[in-house]
Amino acid sequence: MEILNSLNEKQREAASHDKGPILVIAGAGTGKTRVLTHRIAYLIKSGKAMPWEVLAITFTNKAAGEMKDRIGQLIDYSIDKMWIGTFHSICVRILRRFIDRIGYDKNFTIYDTDDQRILIRDCIKELELDPKTYNHSSIKALISNEKNSRNTPDNYIKDNYGNFVNRNKGEIYSLYEKKLKTSNALDFDDLIVKTLKLLETNEDVLELYQERFKYILVDEYQDTNNVQYNLIKILGKKKNDESNVFVVGDEDQSIYGWRGADISNILNFEKDFKGAKTVKLEKNYRSTNIILNAANGVIKNNFQRKGKNLYTELKEGSLIRILQSDNEKDEAFTIAALMRQEHREKNIDYSEISVLYRTNAQSRALEEGLIREGIPYKIVGGVKFYERKEIKDIMAYLRLILNQKDDISFNRIINVPRRKLGQKTIGIISDYAELKGISNFEACFESDKLELMPSAAKSIESFLSMIEMLMIKKDVMPLSEFIIDVIESTGLKDMLLQDETVEGRSRVENMDEFLSAAKDFEERYLENSLEDFLVHISLLADIDKTEDTIKDSVTLMTVHSAKGLEFDTVFIAGLEDGIFPIIRNDGDDDIEEERRLFYVAITRAKRMLYITHANERMMYGNHELKMKSRFLKEIPEECIEESDPVSFGNKKLQRLESNIEKRKDNFFIRPAALAGNNKPKLKSDNIMPGDKIMHKVWGIGTVVQIKGDGKDKVIVIAFENKGIKNLILEYAPIEKI
């Protein structure tokens, strides 16, 4: 048929398949969406099915919309009556018609994430449980996992009866379900779970949809979870064992096991659907042969796969460059320099360049490197590091400790973590502060005049005591130690640790990375007070003018966010064991999914691929020696150009902060070592606590403490009218008097 003429041989074989189940293994860049849309157009145009007899399921509304648009361009028939949508949208259509069969009214409400959070909090409160122990995000994740495993609250409670905390989680789950039912409401997981229950318990409804949908097509089949798989299975298998289920996927791109995706669904398709045909799409239209050979070389080490070998008719292309850096700052500068080279010498738009990393926390060093080099960037699927909620929360605490008149910071964190201070209480404080012409923080000291509830007054008193103690510690503790203390004293750390979801772990990693940023700043500058650090961060954010509206900007994202995208030039950063792959249980399943992630990262590149790793990386505020990723050994040698260690960092360190320093009007003083003076002003055995010294800028001071050993020895000095300063003894511009 003419409509299939534009497809290659294997694509055409899949799209024109007549009857019976078929599995299409579609490698990266092989045109799976093209095959799906042409198959639907072929079925309708050939008269094998009417538009309303085709069910096509995708994972995102965007993918569904794109599919409709493409089909509309291929056929003259109206697509309005087609059932093309996500699992959730398809299930809503079925439930709106028949949900009364399982005890709900047809005008049911769908609760979104915010509604769920409120409902779970209500359940925790009603059961008189501690919200710090029973974090709503973790409870939400647990309920979702149990629903998708089709495990009832009663079964969960029974299985966990001997564990007090888990039993209570089961009670929350149970009460949550009762409240949903009372409200005639469903959450997003229910949409599929209840549809499956409806079809399993109402044979006439099942037969209606089995007969209606002559052909069922499923995109990204490797990402289906247990209930999605069962929904496809029950709809696709008719009484006469006839099954016209057409699934497209790639087991080598199954990277969502952490959210319930089951790779065995695609691996066992032929067992579940007897007589199934398999077609492999291996001709890649995206990448060079070198990139594909590298991807093939890596992924062949996995055992959980069907097996395929991507190839292309494109030219060989450039070798993959693997670059070793000294540390994460050096890595960021190296990447920035190579980006500029690609942009200037090869005329590659910044929008055609991407940096991929394993975790969101890695973006901090990369962002700072790009900001300093003036390269515009945007973050996809995430928020810029210093704009992330948990980072803004800790910065608000630090700003309030430094400046008690900062109402914006006060308002942000007065109830973070929750202190049972409602909006009414905060409003009373703000109104009183405005009346008296003082800050909100200062108004809290007069809480006895505010007629607050005893519990609110007690919470405010505790908050004030905590901030006052931190104000004292600020002047006597090194920056990084002080920030650790703030994170722990305020309860921010405990709050984040209570959230056991993937997002919760990511927020903890971001907080750890913020500590690394502070430690890095502390080591780089003699003037490394809290004031200096906050100015440094503020100026970095101010320099960053790369709004997402700038079209020609580099894209930064995690590998998970990059799936389905492609770029001319790709940098994969942080290829070190423990980072990529992340090693948790070191089990085969974990490593295989990490390897699939690396495969996805490699196959995002069309022409040029750079991979970087560092000898040392700041992790959780400590310098850690790193081993290069085991995955790098799996790339065939003929595909790579492994350069000698390149250090952009040492070369650039002299001008690292030049642009920022000009704007700060010499706010920071460069370490003496960088100015060419490596001689220590004093010997360590020459000075003791109690000695008087003279500083070239701050004048006379008294030594109050000496910490550390060797080159890391720090001298703590109390200056008249300048406060307490921490100086590296080896470089401190001081003289004993």
Side-chain angles (χ1 to χ4, degrees), residues 434-451:
E434 187 175 353
L435 179 67
K436 291 290 186 177
I438 57 178
S439 71
N440 289 352
F441 184 82
E442 292 167 326
C444 288
F445 283 98
E446 301 182 30
S447 59
D448 57 321
K449 301 177 182 178
L450 301 180
E451 298 182 0

Side-chain angles (χ1 to χ4, degrees), residues 19 99 122 176 188 251 308 318 390 398 414 427 464 497 717 722:
K19 289 187 177 181
I99 197 171
D122 288 346
Y176 171 85
F188 277 100
E251 79 282 7
K308 62 182 174 302
S318 302
E390 58 276 12
L398 296 176
I414 182 60
L464 290 175
L497 289 174
I717 305 171
K722 297 292 182 182

Side-chain angles (χ1 to χ4, degrees), residues 21-33:
I22 176 170
L23 167 64
V24 181
I25 300 293
T30 57
K32 70 174 181 65
T33 304

